[in-house]
Amino acid sequence: MQTKSSTLRETEQQRQTILQTARAQAEALNGMYQNTLSAFLVAPNAMPLPRAARAMFWLGRLRQWRAIDLSGDETCPPPNVTSLQLGVIESIAGTHALALHKEKWSGPHSRQAYERDMALQVAMLLALEWRELAAFALQAWFGTSSELASLHPVSGMTGLIIGVAGQALGVGVPQVTFQKGDAVLSKIVNHWQDSDIAFAPLARELADRHVNQCRLDTDHSLFDFDHPVEQAIPVELLMLLRLRDGDGDEVPAWLARHGAFSHPAAVMLKATTPSQSQLCHSFITSATTLLPQYGDLSAALDRQISASRKLSS
C-alpha cells in the first residue's frame, strides 16, 4: 500500500521527468526554429509560411516557459511578466498563420492537437484580461461564421474553453460534447456563472483534473497539458475566475491552496497593455505581405491596445 509521502515522491519524480524531457526538446528545437525564422525574414517568398509560423509559435512558447522558470531549480522565482506576455503574442502570431493554412493539419490526430493548443491560447488571453484579442482568436479559429469553422463537435478541454469563452464573448462556436469521464467539464460549461457556493466544488474538481492531466503526450494518448507553461499555469481555471470576476486580482483562498496553483506564475496577473517583440513585429509584417488577410491580427492587436489603455486610465 502506498503512503502519502511515497505518492508525493512519485509525483515529483514524474514532474522532473517531464521537465527534463521538455528542456532537452526545447534546447534541440530552439536553434532550429531560430534559424528557420531568420531565413524566413530574409526571404519570405522562399519558405512556406506554415513552416515559419510553426517556428514563431514554438519560439513564443519557449519565451513563455523561460519567463516562468528562469532558473530551472525546484524553487521557481516570480515570473517575468513582460517576457511572458511577449511570448504569448508571439505564439498567437504563429498560430494565426497556421490557422489560415488549416488544410496542412486537418488530419484527425493533428487536428485534435492543434485545436487543443489554440484553445489553451484563448484561455491564456482571457486570463490576461485581453478580451478583444481573445474574441478575435475565438472567432477566427473556432467561430461558426468563420471560414475556418470546425464542422465536427469539440470535446475535452478544448470544448470547455471554447464553450465558456463563446458564452462570455458572444461568439458562436461549434457544438461541444463530453465523455462520461469528463462530466465536470460539461457541468462547468453549464454552470460557470453560478454562485461561489455552487461553483467552488466544480472548480476544485477541475483543479484535480488539471494535475492529473499534466503528462507528456504519447503516440496513443493526448493529454491536456503536455507543455510546462500550462502545467505551471492552470489557464482554464484562471480564465474562469477572470470571466466570473473581471476586476478580481487574486485567486480565491478556497482554491489558491490547491496544488494546481503551487507555481509562482499561477496567479491573477494585473491587466496590462500588450506589446510585440521586434521578432514578432517582423514576422507579422512579412506574413501580412504574403497573406493580406493575416493583417486582421494587427487590427485585433490595435483594438486590444486601445481597450487595455482605457482600462488602465
Side-chain angles (χ1 to χ4, degrees):
M1 181 177 178
Q2 284 188 320
T3 64
K4 183 177 180 180
S5 60
S6 65
T7 301
L8 288 173
R9 283 197 299 271
E10 289 182 9
T11 301
E12 178 60 20
Q13 289 172 354
Q14 292 173 354
R15 188 182 77 87
Q16 289 299 324
T17 298
I18 289 172
L19 288 175
Q20 290 167 8
T21 303
R23 285 193 184 100
Q25 292 174 342
E27 290 173 3
L29 294 174
N30 180 49
M32 180 183 75
Y33 285 138
Q34 288 281 5
N35 293 337
T36 297
L37 203 55
S38 295
F40 171 74
L41 295 178
V42 170
N45 290 305
M47 180 182 295
L49 181 55
R51 181 182 172 192
R54 193 170 290 107
M56 184 76 266
F57 167 77
W58 280 111
L59 289 173
R61 298 285 278 163
L62 182 58
R63 186 193 288 271
Q64 293 173 56
W65 183 15
R66 287 173 170 168
I68 65 174
D69 187 13
L70 299 178
S71 65
D73 297 333
E74 289 188 15
T75 303
C76 299
N80 182 328
V81 177
T82 299
S83 187
L84 173 66
Q85 294 177 345
L86 286 173
V88 169
I89 297 300
E90 288 176 346
S91 62
I92 293 295
T95 298
H96 189 53
L98 287 168
L100 293 175
H101 291 82
K102 187 174 182 178
E103 72 281 357
K104 301 292 185 182
W105 47 269
S106 56
H109 187 75
S110 296
R111 183 189 68 215
Q112 188 178 359
Y114 273 92
E115 289 182 345
R116 174 198 61 183
D117 290 343
M118 289 175 173
L120 289 172
Q121 290 177 86
V122 171
M124 176 66 88
L125 291 172
L126 287 170
L128 293 172
E129 192 65 354
W130 290 346
R131 293 198 181 201
E132 289 288 338
L133 201 49
F136 166 78
L138 185 66
Q139 173 60 47
W141 304 345
F142 294 103
T144 51
S145 62
S146 167
E147 293 180 0
L148 304 174
S150 299
L151 300 178
H152 57 278
V154 182
S155 62
M157 184 54 58
T158 301
L160 168 74
I161 292 170
I162 71 166
V164 170
Q167 294 175 42
L169 301 173
V171 175
V173 297
Q175 177 186 0
V176 296
T177 61
F178 300 100
Q179 299 177 356
K180 289 183 179 179
D182 276 338
V184 65
L185 304 185
S186 178
K187 291 177 183 177
I188 289 174
V189 169
N190 293 317
H191 299 286
W192 67 274
Q193 298 180 80
D194 286 2
S195 67
D196 283 352
I197 293 175
F199 178 71
L202 294 177
R204 284 191 287 264
E205 189 175 349
L206 185 61
D208 290 341
R209 187 186 183 282
H210 180 97
V211 173
N212 292 331
Q213 283 287 320
C214 288
R215 312 275 186 89
L216 286 175
D217 286 348
T218 68
D219 291 337
H220 306 289
S221 299
L222 190 68
F223 293 98
D224 288 337
F225 312 109
D226 75 320
H227 192 274
V229 170
E230 284 81 30
Q231 290 176 2
I233 307 176
V235 292
E236 77 283 14
L237 284 155
L238 292 172
M239 173 194 78
L240 288 165
L241 294 173
R242 184 71 79 182
L243 291 175
R244 284 173 56 82
D245 183 11
D247 296 328
D249 57 0
E250 290 186 1
V251 176
W254 50 263
L255 190 58
R257 291 185 292 270
H258 193 282
F261 289 86
S262 61
H263 195 284
V267 295
M268 300 278 278
L269 295 174
K270 183 179 178 181
T272 61
T273 302
S275 59
Q276 301 174 44
S277 65
Q278 184 57 51
L279 183 67
C280 185
H281 177 76
S282 298
F283 174 81
I284 290 176
T285 299
S286 297
T288 303
T289 300
L290 293 173
L291 198 65
Q293 61 265 46
Y294 182 81
D296 292 343
L297 174 60
S298 295
L301 277 166
D302 288 342
R303 291 195 300 273
Q304 183 59 66
I305 290 170
S306 177
S308 295
R309 285 174 176 167
K310 288 180 181 178
L311 279 176
S312 60
S313 63

